[in-house]
Amino acid sequence: MDTKQSELEVKAREWLKERGVTIDDIAELVYYLQAKYHDDLSMEECVYNVDRVLTKREVQNAILTGIQLDKLAEEKKLDHPLQETIEVDESLYGVDEIIALSIVNVYGSIGFTNYGYIDKQKPGILEHLNDKSTGECHTFLDDIVGAIAAAASSRLAHGTADGKKLDD
């Protein structure tokens, strides 16, 4: 893998970590989504696919935008009624999912089903990010993390179907 990261990618990875999300956390979600389809799936393969997804500019932009909005909501710096809407993660808001779908689109339509499934199940780190009792706001981040996992799962599935690793 190319180790040269853009400033945008470095910042996106930093912000994920600052918000308590590791690459391994996302890789565990990929494993959760794909293990039943791959007898010999390793965590290393899952991490590799997450890393590749994080190299995409669309993904980096979604991470930075979503985390910034979550932070502003935490700091109560948004105007009414947007402040309350993001703070409580209102179910009819939907903009958080739209940003996540921009990530899911990167590797094709299989990502939509992966994303929908993981968004309902909320395994692993997603359970923590959805815990409103922490005082943290992750209205955007939970969907973004789920979308990264869904995209990495799609990438893995496409590579397996072709009998080789994708080179993107």
Side-chain angles (χ1 to χ4, degrees):
M1 177 171 45
D2 181 14
T3 56
K4 181 154 174 41
Q5 296 176 346
S6 70
E7 180 182 353
L8 194 62
E9 182 179 350
V10 169
K11 186 58 72 176
R13 288 172 180 269
E14 279 176 15
W15 282 15
L16 283 171
K17 193 172 183 180
E18 286 172 10
R19 299 298 284 180
V21 178
T22 67
I23 302 305
D24 286 344
D25 290 332
I26 304 171
E28 287 172 11
L29 297 175
V30 174
Y31 190 87
Y32 176 85
L33 287 168
Q34 290 296 305
K36 63 185 166 202
Y37 305 110
H38 306 277
D39 293 335
D40 58 350
L41 182 62
S42 69
M43 282 302 293
E44 181 179 88
E45 221 174 337
C46 295
V47 166
Y48 176 81
N49 282 282
V50 170
D51 273 327
R52 297 307 299 157
V53 169
L54 291 174
T55 66
K56 299 293 189 182
R57 183 171 291 274
E58 304 95 316
V59 175
Q60 298 157 8
N61 285 327
I63 291 168
L64 296 179
T65 301
I67 289 176
Q68 186 67 66
L69 287 166
D70 282 344
K71 288 166 72 174
L72 289 170
E74 249 176 38
E75 296 165 5
K76 305 210 182 299
K77 291 185 175 174
L78 299 171
D79 290 340
H80 172 78
L82 187 58
Q83 174 65 41
E84 294 79 13
T85 300
I86 292 176
E87 205 170 25
V88 300
D89 196 0
E90 186 180 302
S91 61
L92 296 177
Y93 178 57
V95 176
D96 47 339
E97 279 87 7
I98 296 300
I99 289 177
L101 291 177
S102 72
I103 295 171
V104 170
N105 275 332
V106 173
Y107 290 101
S109 61
I110 189 175
F112 284 101
T113 55
N114 282 329
Y115 174 71
Y117 179 73
I118 207 163
D119 190 45
K120 288 292 179 206
Q121 297 293 313
K122 306 241 188 276
I125 187 69
L126 296 180
E127 182 179 14
H128 168 73
L129 293 175
N130 277 281
D131 183 357
K132 305 290 184 247
S133 71
T134 65
E136 298 171 321
C137 179
H138 299 298
T139 297
F140 288 87
L141 185 58
D142 70 317
D143 293 306
I144 288 167
V145 168
I148 294 167
S153 295
S154 299
R155 187 181 187 287
L156 179 66
H158 281 292
T160 303
D162 294 339
K164 60 183 180 355
K165 287 187 176 178
L166 292 181
D167 184 23
D168 55 348

